[in-house]
Amino acid sequence: MAFTTAMARRLIGRKSVIGARSMSSWWRNVEPAPKDPILGVTEAFLADPSPDKVNVGVGAYRDDNGKPVVLECVREAERRIAGKLNMEYLPMGGSVKMVEETLKLAYGENSEFIKDKRIAAVQSLSGTGACRLFADFQKRFSPDSQIYIPVPTWANHHNIWRDAQVPQRTYHYYHPESRGLNFAALMDDIKNAPNGSFILLHACAHNPTGVDPSEEEWREISHLFKVKNHFAFFDMAYQGFASGDPERDAKSIRIFLEDGHHIGIAQSYAKNMGLYGQRVGCLSVLCENEKQAVAVKSQLQQLARPMYSNPPVHGAFIVSTILGDPDLKKLWLKEVKVMADRIISMRASLRENLEKLGSPLSWKHITKQIGMFCYSGMTPEQVDRLTKEYHIYMTRNGRISMAGITTGNVGYLANAIHEVTKSA
Amino acid sequence: MASSMLSLASASPSASLSMHDTLKGKVRLGSGNLTAWFHKEKSNPFINTKSSGRISMAVAVNVSRFEGITMAPPDPILGVSEAFKADNDEKKLNLGVGAYRTEELQPYVLNVVKKAENLMLERGEYKEYLPIEGLAAFNKVTAELLLGADNTVIKQQRVATVQGLSGTGSLRLAAALIERYFPGAKVLISSPTWGNHKNIFNDARVPWSEYRYYDPKTVGLDFEGMIADLKAAPEGSFILLHGCAHNPTGIDPTPEQWEKIADVIQEKNHIPFFDVAYQGFASGSLDADAASVRLFAARGMELLVAQSYSKNLGLYAERIGAINVICSSVDAAARVKSQLKRLARPMYSNPPVHGARIVANVVGDPTLFDEWKAEMDMMAGRIKGVRQKLFDSLSAKDKSGKDWSFILKQIGMFSFTGLNKAQSENMTNKWHVYMTKDGRISLAGLNLAKCEYLADAIVDSYHNVS
């Protein structure tokens, strides 16, 4: 449509308008974009004047007072670097130190792959940027491939691979009846995908459901991937944030590595270090050998260069300052556990409250699920009622951001949920 | 903190790969040794299957999907800095770098930036996600800086401003917008231009062609050629213009020439697309350096403008810039902004906060703003100073009567010397002066103390090498 309009203009032939008033717009055919479903929730919340309002929409951590948190280790790192460093361009691949420390978190402190330099890795614009770089890389070097994405998944996954022009297919994941994992259907879909398919996996704390495979289930998935020769791409946005223990949260990845897969990983420090707005993350691709890793890294840089040239430095230096200092790193691990523990306790509290209210439904899944999000099982209509009648804001898929729950509002929230679901 | 960092503001003969090049035969994932997988085999010969269903991995499959991936070509600028680092000669000079250096040839963090950072530290601000379009305070000041706070288009809210990842990211967003809403439309870029422009349009799948710009005979602007090429382009093309301090040549149109360029663009219904990476850095005056953009806006034209704060605020690595689309109506601006956001979300979700806050704090505070203007004046002044000294040295040393005044006429960080490839190589091999093969030198890497030495090198290379 845009093309026809532009062509029409050319054919009609415009008169010279030197010195004339403003011309009619080139952008006439540009429609208003739909609101982003996730970020739009927060916008609506901010606009609501009600004193009772609760935001369990966007996935940003809040403390028990409902306030954003900047970690102590981050403040300290900031103090150390403020005004001291020059701001020269980072290399296209980003901060080497930050990437080194980040790989240790994912692959293991003493990973042989790191020692053998088999990992092609670049600093990325948080998790989004890592996924996008990989999607572009996939498009360029495996142009006939598709990406398999779980149902449901973080909405932006679809946008990313679409804008990278990689066709998408889905695989079963969430089981609505049990509010858990549809393992049989998942395995079936993995089996039926053509050999050598690219498959997106959430390493831990699945977004939006909070439903993760068990360790045993991960092993079976890995085995099936081996048989089918699939490529596993892990999106790990919550390492440390899910169980409180980064090593434990990386278990799925470690299983795949043990089994000999050559995987890709998108890592983000948005949640686990609270560096949301800094946009710090890492994309890594495990290769056969050092030579290949060097080649792959060079190609990742080629993709980054016409997108943003080189990544932002500030967040990267915060990360490398923290992870490079044993005391700061210890502090960070403690603080991550505090965040994870608070969420786990809010899960318990919400479930308890609902059960005490005599809800006819089962809310076991609230404590079984893990990470920032809980797939409540509520319908869009029930969610709309929560918003209209109780000023509670969440995405219409029934996803609750546990980070937005506090001891102060858990009772109110439980009551509201009970009210809109008790006759379900 | 080496100046070996990638210098982005360089134009070197681009060694970037077009998509086409990249796909030419060599880089298919999974091609090559596809014995064990890819549609043919049903079972993987590397695995022993046991009846219990638990499979023991005999040997890890070691045929890589990335077998066919070749090494990307080295960046032409990074190569220069790397060679410079490896050179042990004490007379060596790095004129490849596109980042400002002090007279002592050290990187420079502006005082206002340090002050702003300390203010931010004291306030202890949150690190929450910015909205997709970026920091509101930043977007406001950046548009005002570009157009003037009392500009009609701002008052009428006809500018769609979205914070971008410095100049590159802002250009890329605009390119993506063009690809989506003007499929088939071409972008015309100057010959030569910053090397990364081509990469950006290639990766965004926007076709481009060149308009004549640099005239090697005069070491000046080929104005006739430029106008002819703009006239010859299909109606409704996007014309990429450097707002000031053209990179890599340093040659800018005069105000009269800008008027004529605007005439042709209007005649042909082209869309002007400005890359403004040096506002304030070129002449020392923010307003003077924005004159070209303001001229076009004043004519009621719709235009795109990418901005960068890498050089003028020294915020290189913070990646702070903006894409501005000046539209003919408030409604169009709102719609365009919403679509820019939709393009940004699957690229990086929302932009980094730190650089945006620094800019908002500096520009938003009258004292800091004045201090910034003074520092920018100082930086631009130092560059002008070395230009003058270089010109004086060349005039004194070169007895041939050659006119070196183009050095004074050119503006900004770079100078196109007119040296050819062989002569540029002589500069490096004989004189240990590192520069790009297109004859471009970065005056930001030159100081007064080295002007005479550089003049000797240039005179020798120009006259004794062909």
Side-chain angles (χ1 to χ4, degrees):
Chain A
M1 188 166 75
F3 180 78
T4 324
T5 319
M7 275 301 287
R9 260 196 218 102
R10 286 177 207 153
L11 292 170
I12 291 166
R14 300 283 301 262
K15 298 189 306 252
S16 162
V17 286
I18 296 171
R21 285 165 300 132
S22 55
M23 303 148 43
S24 38
S25 178
W26 282 110
W27 311 103
R28 238 180 272 130
N29 54 301
V30 174
E31 283 156 14
K35 275 204 175 302
D36 183 280
I38 301 170
L39 302 174
V41 169
T42 297
E43 278 179 30
F45 167 81
L46 289 171
D48 185 332
S50 164
D52 299 323
K53 63 182 181 177
V54 176
N55 186 359
V56 283
V58 77
Y61 181 78
R62 296 285 177 268
D63 64 14
D64 200 45
N65 296 312
K67 294 268 175 278
V69 169
V70 178
L71 302 184
E72 260 316 301
C73 59
V74 169
R75 285 280 181 237
E76 176 54 31
E78 267 196 315
R79 275 191 286 272
R80 291 187 196 181
I81 67 181
K84 293 215 175 53
L85 306 164
N86 67 52
M87 286 154 173
E88 297 293 286
Y89 291 123
L90 285 177
M92 281 183 287
S95 157
V96 170
K97 181 123 203 305
M98 192 231 40
V99 168
E100 268 172 20
E101 292 295 336
T102 303
L103 293 182
K104 285 192 211 159
L105 281 179
Y107 293 82
E109 188 87 22
N110 301 307
S111 163
E112 57 182 290
F113 307 117
I114 297 179
K115 285 203 192 79
D116 295 343
K117 305 204 175 136
R118 285 176 49 188
I119 308 173
V122 295
Q123 179 184 337
S124 65
L125 291 159
S126 207
T128 306
C131 287
R132 177 56 179 268
L133 261 191
F134 183 77
D136 282 348
F137 175 75
Q138 185 187 344
K139 175 68 179 176
R140 182 166 286 182
F141 295 102
S142 198
D144 300 327
S145 67
Q146 306 167 110
I147 185 77
Y148 281 79
I149 294 183
V151 177
T153 193
W154 178 49
N156 207 24
H157 280 146
H158 295 293
N159 300 334
I160 291 168
W161 268 270
R162 181 201 62 223
D163 274 25
Q165 306 198 342
V166 173
Q168 306 174 25
R169 305 205 54 172
T170 57
Y171 63 90
H172 284 87
Y173 191 86
Y174 179 66
H175 192 235
E177 290 75 24
S178 64
R179 322 269 199 262
L181 181 65
N182 192 346
F183 185 63
L186 180 156
M187 291 295 274
D188 225 37
D189 287 346
I190 302 294
K191 194 163 60 148
N192 293 331
N195 287 1
S197 293
F198 287 76
I199 308 199
L200 173 71
L201 301 162
H202 295 227
C204 64
H206 181 272
N207 177 0
T209 66
V211 170
D212 284 349
S214 65
E215 186 177 319
E216 187 50 44
E217 286 167 339
W218 274 122
R219 292 194 186 283
E220 305 225 14
I221 294 170
S222 171
H223 154 219
L224 183 55
F225 266 59
K226 260 303 172 171
V227 169
K228 298 286 300 180
N229 245 331
H230 290 327
F231 182 92
F233 183 71
F234 284 94
D235 186 351
M236 183 159 67
Y238 299 97
Q239 188 183 12
F241 205 90
S243 70
D245 176 5
E247 279 298 292
R248 196 162 138 201
D249 290 345
K251 191 65 185 167
S252 59
I253 288 177
R254 306 290 171 83
I255 288 171
F256 272 65
L257 292 172
E258 276 160 31
D259 288 350
H261 294 283
H262 294 171
I263 63 179
I265 309 178
Q267 290 171 266
S268 165
Y269 286 101
K271 285 78 170 175
N272 61 11
M273 238 186 238
L275 295 177
Y276 307 93
Q278 310 280 158
R279 320 310 294 129
V280 204
C282 177
L283 167 66
S284 60
V285 179
L286 177 59
C287 302
E288 266 194 320
N289 52 47
E290 182 178 352
K291 180 157 175 267
Q292 212 174 76
V294 170
V296 169
K297 179 177 170 173
S298 77
Q299 295 292 352
L300 292 174
Q301 290 177 174
Q302 281 287 91
L303 288 160
R305 189 170 176 235
M307 226 190 271
Y308 50 84
S309 283
N310 39 64
V313 68
H314 193 77
F317 280 3
I318 292 177
V319 173
S320 61
T321 301
I322 292 172
L323 297 181
D325 177 317
D327 291 328
L328 278 184
K329 183 168 181 180
K330 230 186 274 169
L331 176 57
W332 171 57
L333 290 169
K334 218 174 83 187
E335 293 189 277
V336 158
K337 187 157 192 319
V338 164
M339 292 195 286
D341 284 348
R342 192 183 92 69
I343 291 194
I344 290 168
S345 80
M346 286 300 103
R347 285 184 179 276
S349 190
L350 180 62
R351 175 180 164 185
E352 224 177 272
N353 272 269
L354 282 163
E355 286 169 353
K356 276 214 194 85
L357 285 166
S359 171
L361 307 171
S362 166
W363 298 100
K364 281 207 208 83
H365 55 283
I366 295 184
T367 47
K368 185 147 189 270
Q369 290 167 5
I370 189 169
M372 197 179 279
F373 302 112
C374 162
Y375 233 37
S376 60
M378 287 188 288
T379 64
E381 294 70 36
Q382 289 168 335
V383 170
D384 288 343
R385 277 192 65 194
L386 281 180
T387 306
K388 285 200 188 71
E389 297 173 32
Y390 295 92
H391 307 276
I392 293 171
Y393 291 81
M394 65 174 75
T395 46
R396 291 185 88 238
N397 53 11
R399 182 193 85 165
I400 299 176
S401 170
M402 301 304 299
I405 303 182
T406 66
T407 49
N409 66 23
V410 65
Y412 177 77
L413 179 63
N415 183 63
I417 292 176
H418 176 58
E419 287 300 316
V420 308
T421 58
K422 64 187 177 184
S423 46
Chain B
M1 294 301 149
S3 57
S4 64
M5 298 308 173
L6 169 67
S7 161
L8 299 175
S10 75
S12 50
S14 175
S16 64
L17 296 175
S18 68
M19 266 273 270
H20 183 65
D21 291 335
T22 316
L23 290 176
K24 250 190 263 176
K26 287 187 266 187
V27 291
R28 287 182 166 270
L29 246 186
S31 66
N33 308 333
L34 289 177
T35 50
W37 61 72
F38 259 86
H39 314 298
K40 293 201 176 153
E41 309 282 336
K42 292 224 161 64
S43 63
N44 190 320
F46 293 107
I47 293 180
N48 303 320
T49 325
K50 288 210 181 113
S51 57
S52 69
R54 272 307 262 133
I55 287 182
S56 69
M57 303 297 145
V59 165
V61 177
N62 58 10
V63 183
S64 175
R65 285 160 206 276
F66 311 124
E67 197 58 39
I69 293 185
T70 56
M71 192 70 185
D75 188 275
I77 301 309
L78 198 58
V80 170
S81 285
E82 280 176 7
F84 170 80
K85 267 170 90 174
D87 187 333
N88 293 318
D89 191 294
E90 59 171 14
K91 297 188 299 301
K92 68 180 180 177
L93 194 54
N94 186 357
L95 302 185
V97 69
Y100 179 82
R101 293 282 176 275
T102 61
E103 175 66 22
E104 296 75 32
L105 298 184
Q106 293 302 310
Y108 180 62
V109 179
L110 277 70
N111 288 321
V112 287
V113 169
K114 288 188 192 151
K115 285 186 183 168
E117 278 204 305
N118 283 323
L119 268 173
M120 285 155 59
L121 201 63
E122 274 165 42
R123 274 189 229 125
E125 284 156 331
Y126 292 130
K127 299 189 176 310
E128 297 297 284
Y129 290 124
L130 285 178
I132 303 174
E133 69 266 31
L135 186 68
F138 166 78
N139 288 345
K140 178 172 186 292
V141 301
T142 200
E144 290 176 353
L145 208 61
L146 178 67
L147 298 161
D150 52 358
N151 194 306
T152 331
V153 304
I154 292 190
K155 290 222 188 82
Q156 294 176 349
Q157 296 177 39
R158 292 197 277 118
V159 191
T161 301
V162 169
Q163 180 186 336
L165 291 155
S166 202
T168 306
S170 306
L171 288 161
R172 179 59 177 267
L173 274 185
L177 189 72
I178 293 171
E179 194 272 340
R180 188 166 281 184
Y181 290 98
F182 296 87
K186 226 174 12 169
V187 174
L188 267 73
I189 62 182
S190 65
S191 171
T193 193
W194 178 47
N196 208 23
H197 280 145
K198 296 170 188 178
N199 300 334
I200 292 168
F201 295 116
N202 282 341
D203 276 26
R205 300 180 185 92
V206 174
W208 54 268
S209 67
E210 289 176 301
Y211 58 87
R212 279 169 282 174
Y213 194 82
Y214 174 64
D215 184 352
K217 290 195 289 305
T218 61
V219 195
L221 177 60
D222 179 0
F223 188 60
E224 309 291 306
M226 177 178 181
I227 294 296
D229 289 346
L230 294 189
K231 283 194 173 152
E235 266 214 20
S237 295
F238 289 81
I239 313 296
L240 188 64
L241 303 159
H242 297 227
C244 64
H246 183 271
N247 178 359
T249 67
I251 297 162
D252 286 349
T254 62
E256 297 72 35
Q257 288 171 328
W258 274 123
E259 295 276 1
K260 290 213 174 69
I261 293 167
D263 289 346
V264 175
I265 287 179
Q266 280 184 300
E267 254 173 59
K268 295 287 304 188
N269 251 343
H270 293 326
I271 303 182
F273 182 178
F274 280 93
D275 185 353
V276 176
Y278 298 97
Q279 187 184 2
F281 199 92
S283 69
S285 156
L286 287 162
D287 291 321
D289 288 347
S292 57
V293 173
R294 294 179 189 182
L295 184 163
F296 278 67
R299 287 182 176 220
M301 299 172 80
E302 291 186 307
L303 53 148
L304 300 131
V305 188
Q307 294 170 279
S308 164
Y309 289 90
S310 290
K311 285 76 172 181
N312 60 9
L313 254 173
L315 294 176
Y316 305 94
E318 301 293 346
R319 319 312 293 130
I320 179 66
I323 178 66
N324 302 274
V325 185
I326 300 173
C327 307
S328 62
S329 71
V330 184
D331 185 63
R335 285 180 279 116
V336 167
K337 182 165 172 167
S338 76
Q339 294 296 349
L340 286 169
K341 285 164 66 170
R342 204 161 144 247
L343 289 160
R345 175 62 158 150
M347 260 192 229
Y348 50 82
S349 281
N350 37 65
V353 67
H354 196 73
R357 282 200 178 132
I358 293 176
V359 176
N361 277 297
V362 169
V363 181
D365 175 304
T367 319
L368 286 179
F369 189 44
D370 283 341
E371 275 189 50
W372 177 36
K373 286 195 268 199
E375 283 192 276
M376 214 159 20
D377 206 38
M378 178 274 296
M379 291 193 289
R382 191 182 94 63
I383 304 266
K384 282 188 212 157
V386 296
R387 280 189 184 274
Q388 187 65 53
K389 181 105 197 268
L390 180 60
F391 168 74
D392 292 340
S393 306
L394 282 164
S395 304
K397 286 167 189 289
D398 182 13
K399 306 302 180 198
S400 74
K402 177 179 161 68
D403 181 8
W404 293 99
S405 65
F406 61 82
I407 302 238
L408 296 177
K409 292 195 202 116
Q410 290 166 3
I411 191 168
M413 201 181 271
F414 302 110
S415 172
F416 242 32
T417 56
L419 295 174
N420 64 28
K421 184 161 182 282
Q423 293 164 339
S424 300
E425 279 166 359
N426 184 66
M427 294 285 287
T428 306
N429 298 335
K430 183 169 170 191
W431 296 88
H432 306 274
V433 172
Y434 289 80
M435 53 189 279
T436 47
K437 304 275 183 277
D438 54 4
R440 184 194 84 164
I441 56 174
S442 167
L443 295 160
L446 179 64
N447 59 8
L448 296 170
K450 304 231 175 173
C451 283
E452 295 214 11
Y453 178 75
L454 180 60
D456 283 335
I458 293 175
V459 170
D460 171 62
S461 305
Y462 183 78
H463 289 295
N464 300 332
V465 178
S466 48

